[in-house]
């Protein structure tokens, strides 16, 4: 074995040093290579303040003395070629810092990592999978998401099902069982909690060490490629939670990579994330921009991921987010906005859409920053979707309120329509709302055991018909009663109980109805698709509104009764003098409801009500959701 200095194209290093090498993973890291007629591995790493960089691994007894890398000019990049090794080799970079201190670091660009608690990087080739998802990729290019249904099932792959504690299903096993379930339930996408390598299970992947390594908990990275491919072949998109805001402090990771702050900011007030015990990336460094933006492109290129849900945007764009006063800083204009982070996000989105224009770029943002989903050329951040955290917080506060006290909080369910079309929104019922003592969605609901289910069915009906794309965390579809436990599987045994089985049946039917009814998603992002019938009935806690698609005559009527009071006959204004039929009723017995007898058809009469020229009368069960459609409306 020998170490040599293979040529690196100077233009690639120039782009990397200037923040514009957007496929850096092809150059940096460990790649099988031939040099001077010998087969081996080329290593390339950025460590500008290091005195020396070596490669240590299982091939040299973890002593890199004989395998030194070479500094490539003044770029801060070290490179070298080691002959006689190949795929499967475990290695780290042996960094000698300016003071002579030695540390072993995992490769920031490694394609594969050892299973925790081991921390070495592994030489891997990700080019062997033969993709069979061409039809999906073409369909995606031809069908923009804005006028399509999006119904995401958020999943932690390890905790969806477990044989026993910490015995995880593999990517390939999930490609069968999880995918069958998602297709059966009618979801359009799986959104997966972060899959980058991470040392602590309980971080759920949000505190990473290996940004280019699909976690080894579920098998080799080729298994993830197969999972995504199989999803696509069955018409299911895959969205990945992605964390460019911060990284964990484990010694083998990015922290002080070459002996001092490198990936993190040099000012600890800016770098430290005390809420999470992590470090923020230094978005001003061009090389960090190349590293992170290349990582986003990597997941889209190499794993055919359909979208990235960008985590914790609010913490990125606010210099003082959740920091004590002694850590507060100001930007160059005297404000608290993190200007470099804002510039990074704009650059990220511009780059992603340049290479993959059909990508879903979703901001998990709890701030009031404007124009998050507007194009950068109009002054926006350039995402195409944003989580509607305001809607989520208001609705959970409202639903947790006892029905007898809801009239005083009626504004919580109507306020969202004042801003529903200011951004392209996703309505998230995510993992964050069912952990850390917050209780499951079902257990948040007030009242008796049966009322909890009735409330949740009602809530899901309102959620599904409110403008915006949808996301539900696993277990919510069958009424997981305990809050999420990341070290255990979901409580699937609950499906032996009628109310939970009924909840799952309701969720499946509601999902199918959502996909079928264009009025629920064709005009998600404009007022043309929504009209209040009655927003102001706080006293009875009843809401009614209209959803419309591109053909406005084919509308849907939504009626929600958030009170315990049932009404044998309730009048609702409607826009058309035709017959309406109930196409979804959360109170039917098979879903766990009371089974109130309902008419099959309801004829509208020419009696004006709620500002509409016609009206209908129908029974309105307590804590119920009803969805009606007209039988036929004559062309005007």
């Amino acid at each position: 074995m020998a170490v040599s200095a293979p040529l690196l194209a100077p233009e690639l290093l120039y782009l990397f040093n200037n923040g514009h090498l957007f496929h850096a993973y092809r150059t940096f890291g460990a790649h099988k290579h031939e040099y001077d007629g010998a087969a081996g591995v080329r290593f390339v790493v950025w460590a500008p303040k290091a005195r020396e960089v070596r490669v240590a691994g299982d091939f040299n007894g973890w002593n890199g003395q004989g395998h030194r890398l070479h500094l490539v000019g003044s770029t801060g990049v070290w490179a070298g070629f080691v002959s006689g090794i190949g795929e499967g080799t475990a290695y780290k970079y042996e960094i000698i810092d300016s003071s002579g201190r030695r540390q072993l670091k995992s490769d920031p660009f490694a394609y594969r990592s050892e299973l925790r608690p081991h921390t070495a990087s592994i030489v891997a080739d990700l080019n062997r999978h033969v993709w069979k998802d061409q039809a999906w990729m073409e369909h995606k290019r031809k069908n923009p998401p804005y006028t399509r249904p999006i119904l995401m099932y958020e999943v932690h792959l390890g905790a969806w099902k477990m044989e026993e504690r910490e015995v995880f299903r593999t990517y390939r096993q999930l490609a069968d069982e999880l995918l069958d379930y998602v297709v059966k339930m009618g979801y359009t996408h799986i959104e997966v909690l972060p899959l980058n390598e991470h040392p602590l299970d309980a971080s759920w992947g949000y505190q990473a060490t290996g940004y280019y390594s699909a976690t080894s908990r579920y098998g080799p990275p080729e298994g993830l490629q197969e999972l995504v491919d199989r999803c696509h072949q069955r018409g299911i998109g895959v969205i990945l939670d992605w964390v460019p805001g911060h990284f964990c402090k484990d010694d083998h990771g990015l922290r002080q990579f070459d002996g001092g702050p490198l990936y993190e900011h040099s000012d600890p007030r800016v770098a430290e994330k005390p809420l999470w015990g992590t470090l923020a990336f230094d978005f001003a460094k061009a090389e960090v921009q190349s590293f992170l933006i290349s990582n986003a492109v990597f997941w889209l290129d190499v794993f055919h991921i359909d979208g990235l849900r960008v985590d914790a945007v609010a913490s990125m764009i606010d210099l003082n987010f959740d920091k004590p006063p002694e850590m507060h800083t100001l930007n160059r204009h005297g404000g608290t906005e993190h200007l470099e982070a804002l510039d990074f996000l704009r650059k990220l989105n511009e780059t992603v859409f340049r290479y993959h224009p059909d990508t879903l770029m979703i901001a998990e943002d709890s701030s009031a920053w404007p124009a998050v989903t507007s194009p950068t050329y109009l002054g926006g951040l350039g995402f195409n979707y944003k989580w509607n955290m305001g809607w989520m917080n208001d609705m959970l506060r409202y639903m947790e309120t006892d029905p007898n006290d809801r009239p005083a909080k009626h504004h919580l369910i109507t306020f969202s329509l004042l801003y529903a079309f200011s951004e392209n929104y996703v309505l998230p019922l995510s993992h964050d709302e069912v952990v850390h003592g917050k209780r499951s969605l079902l257990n948040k609901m007030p009242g008796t055991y049966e009322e909890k289910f009735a409330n949740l069915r009602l809530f899901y009906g309102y959620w599904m018909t409110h403008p915006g794309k949808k996301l539900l965390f696993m277990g919510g579809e069958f009424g997981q009663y305990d809050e999420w436990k990341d070290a255990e599987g979901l409580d699937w045994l609950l499906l032996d109980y009628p109310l939970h089985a009924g909840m799952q049946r309701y969720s499946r039917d509601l999902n199918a109805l959502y996909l079928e009814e264009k009025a629920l998603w064709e005009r998600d992002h404009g007022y043309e698709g929504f009209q209040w019938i009655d927003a102001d009935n706080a006293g009875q806690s009843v809401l009614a509104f209209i959803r419309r698609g591109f053909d406005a005559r084919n509308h849907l009527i939504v009626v929600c009764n958030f009170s315990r009071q049932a009404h044998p006959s309730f009048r609702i204004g409607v826009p058309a003098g035709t017959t309406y039929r109930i196409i979804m009723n959360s109170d039917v017995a098979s879903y766990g409801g009371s089974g109130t007898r309902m008419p099959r058809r309801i004829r509208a009469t020419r009696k004006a009500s709620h500002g509409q020229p016609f009206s209908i009368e129908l029974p309105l069960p307590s804590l119920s959701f009803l969805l009606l459609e007209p039988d036929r409306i004559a062309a005007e």
Side-chain angles (χ1 to χ4, degrees), residues 177-317:
E177 194 170 8
L178 172 61
L179 184 52
D180 284 346
Y181 183 76
V182 167
V183 171
K184 171 187 170 185
M185 290 298 295
Y187 296 99
T188 64
H189 292 73
I190 301 171
E191 181 172 319
V192 186
L193 270 61
L195 292 179
N196 37 248
E197 195 56 82
H198 52 285
L200 180 66
D201 289 358
S203 81
W204 314 328
Y206 290 96
Q207 297 184 15
T209 50
Y211 271 75
Y212 290 80
S213 294
T215 179
S216 52
R217 287 165 175 78
Y218 317 124
E222 297 88 348
L224 177 58
Q225 290 176 318
E226 182 176 335
L227 170 59
V228 175
D229 199 355
R230 295 268 299 278
C231 285
H232 288 173
Q233 291 174 51
R234 298 186 66 180
I236 303 297
V238 181
I239 297 165
L240 182 64
D241 277 13
W242 186 62
V243 191
H246 61 118
F247 57 90
C248 67
K249 296 181 177 181
D250 291 55
D251 286 342
H252 66 282
L254 298 177
R255 182 178 67 89
Q256 297 196 344
F257 186 80
D258 59 359
L262 183 63
Y263 287 90
E264 67 269 38
H265 201 282
S266 58
D267 184 343
R269 296 175 301 168
V270 178
E272 291 285 344
K273 293 284 189 182
L275 181 67
W276 299 311
T278 55
L279 293 169
F281 282 99
D282 185 353
F283 301 108
K285 284 196 183 85
E287 295 87 352
V288 171
Q289 296 172 27
S290 289
F291 173 80
L292 286 173
I293 296 176
S294 290
N295 187 243
V297 173
F298 164 81
W299 290 107
L300 307 175
D301 279 351
V302 177
F303 288 93
H304 289 204
I305 296 295
D306 300 290
L308 300 174
R309 176 271 205 183
V310 180
D311 181 64
V313 169
S315 77
M316 295 174 65
I317 64 179

Side-chain angles (χ1 to χ4, degrees), residues 520-540:
L520 296 179
W521 37 264
E522 276 189 336
R523 285 182 156 175
D524 254 339
H525 309 305
Y527 281 103
E528 304 87 354
F530 180 91
Q531 181 184 354
W532 283 118
I533 294 174
D534 187 3
D536 302 321
N537 192 349
Q540 292 178 300

Side-chain angles (χ1 to χ4, degrees), residues 265 267 269-270 284 316-320 323 327-343 346 369:
H265 201 282
D267 184 343
R269 296 175 301 168
V270 178
M316 295 174 65
I317 64 179
D318 181 354
L319 284 167
N320 302 325
K323 293 183 179 181
M327 293 184 66
H328 285 189
T329 56
L330 299 175
N331 63 37
R332 61 181 178 271
H333 302 305
T336 61
E337 303 87 359
H338 196 325
L339 302 177
E340 293 79 10
L342 290 165
D343 287 343
R346 296 184 185 103
W369 191 266

Side-chain angles (χ1 to χ4, degrees), residues 604-621:
T605 60
R606 190 174 287 279
K607 184 174 183 179
S609 182
H610 300 120
Q612 301 294 326
F614 303 93
S615 61
I616 58 175
E617 286 190 71
L618 74 168
L620 193 56

Side-chain angles (χ1 to χ4, degrees), residues 562-625:
F562 290 96
S563 78
R564 287 191 175 97
Q565 179 64 49
H567 302 278
S569 181
F570 198 91
R571 183 171 295 278
I572 297 289
V574 293
T578 186
T579 301
Y580 285 83
R581 65 187 182 96
I582 298 171
I583 58 175
M584 179 56 71
N585 173 11
S586 68
D587 189 55
V588 301
S590 63
Y591 298 147
S594 68
T596 299
R597 188 173 180 178
M598 304 292 286
R600 295 185 62 185
R601 297 286 192 275
I602 307 163
R603 180 70 189 180
T605 60
R606 190 174 287 279
K607 184 174 183 179
S609 182
H610 300 120
Q612 301 294 326
F614 303 93
S615 61
I616 58 175
E617 286 190 71
L618 74 168
L620 193 56
S622 68
L623 300 173
S624 66
F625 161 80

